[in-house]
Structures are given as C-alpha cells and as structure tokens.
Amino acid sequence: MLSSESLALIDIEISKYPSDQKQSAVMGALRIAQLEKGWLKPELIEYVAEYLEMPAIAAYEVATFYNMYDTQPAGRHKITLCTNLPCTLMGAGELAEHLKNKLGIGFGETTEDGRFTLKEGECMGACGDAPMCLHNNHAMHTHLTPEKLDELLDKLK
C-alpha cells in the first residue's frame, strides 16, 4: 500500500524509539503516508497501524485528533487559518470571511477545481505573529491582512 521509500522513512521513525514501542512512531508514519497518498483513507490508517503493530483504532484516534492529518481528500493547497483567541483578536474572523468569500467555500470544504481546502486550526504557537495561517502543514504565513491573503492565493494558483 506504501512505496518502499515511504516504508524506509517509517522505519527511520520507528528506530527513534525502543524496539517494543513501535507505536510511538505513529504520528511520523501517518505524516509519511499522507505525503505519499495525499490523504489518509481508512485502509491506509489500518495499514499503518498494522505496520506499527498497534490497534487500528489507536491510529484512527491520532489521525482524527490532529488537524494536520486529512481523513478526506484535500485540495492541492490546504490553508489552515488559526482562529484561536490571539489570532481572532488580531482579525482572524474577518480574514476567515475574506477567504470564504474569495474561495467560495467554508471551513472543511474544498473548491470544485480541487485547488484549495480551507480548514480552521487551533493555536500554532505563533501568537506574537497573529493572525496567521499554515499552507499544506509546512509553510507559515504571519501578520496576515486581506491583501497578504490575496497575494498568497494568487501565488498558489
């Protein structure tokens, strides 16, 4: 279900923990699986759990708890806007409305062309740089304004 390259990367994650604690690599393993497949369908989560010798439900709990994991197909560009209190106080609510209007979707939805998915996120540890968003779980964009969001969206098209 996963390429030999991804399995080798998961093995590296496993090697970071004692041999009887393979399940400790579940977050890294799910990240690697998602990078290869685009999202974590149930069969993929079960495969990762089996590979780590852990109950499938435990892997599901991780995959559904953290917003970095996608358990449904996501757009090519996933924009996760922080709506925690510091970001909200700095204008995240208005930015959320701007994004929703600009993309024509709400939180948890993907544009018809499959280009963008909009998600609401909890604190991302950059409160001093509020408001902020995360692009595809890796690129942080801070001190956002509607104009900065428009520039980001234009660049991602």
Side-chain angles (χ1 to χ4, degrees):
M1 183 164 274
L2 288 172
S3 69
S4 59
E5 292 84 8
S6 289
L7 291 175
L9 291 172
I10 291 172
D11 288 341
I12 292 170
E13 293 295 313
I14 292 169
S15 73
K16 296 175 182 177
Y17 302 97
S19 59
D20 64 336
Q21 297 294 315
K22 288 174 75 170
Q23 73 275 9
S24 297
V26 67
M27 290 184 73
L30 290 171
R31 178 185 51 79
I32 292 162
Q34 181 169 287
L35 278 173
E36 180 178 323
K37 300 296 185 178
W39 65 288
L40 299 172
K41 61 183 176 180
E43 300 82 26
L44 184 57
I45 297 171
E46 291 168 10
Y47 177 83
V48 168
E50 185 177 315
Y51 193 80
L52 297 176
E53 300 173 4
M54 64 188 292
I57 188 63
Y60 276 109
E61 288 171 345
V62 172
T64 57
F65 180 79
Y66 294 101
N67 70 2
M68 69 188 116
Y69 300 115
D70 298 312
T71 55
Q72 297 180 12
R76 196 167 75 228
H77 301 289
K78 181 173 73 170
I79 306 295
T80 306
L81 181 69
C82 178
T83 56
N84 231 354
L85 185 59
C87 283
T88 297
L89 290 173
M90 296 301 291
E94 293 81 10
L95 294 175
E97 291 308 309
H98 181 76
L99 279 171
K100 290 175 184 179
N101 290 330
K102 181 101 174 170
L103 297 173
I105 58 173
F107 284 127
E109 297 178 348
T110 300
T111 57
E112 283 188 28
D113 62 5
R115 195 171 298 242
F116 293 100
T117 294
L118 184 58
K119 292 188 90 173
E120 186 173 17
E122 285 298 317
C123 183
M124 297 174 196
C127 299
D129 298 327
M132 57 92 50
C133 73
L134 206 54
H135 171 238
N136 286 347
N137 297 332
H138 296 288
M140 190 177 284
H141 301 273
T142 61
H143 302 288
L144 292 174
T145 63
E147 295 76 25
K148 282 187 176 183
L149 280 175
D150 289 345
E151 286 176 29
L152 174 62
L153 295 177
D154 290 341
K155 192 166 79 171
L156 297 176
K157 287 185 179 179

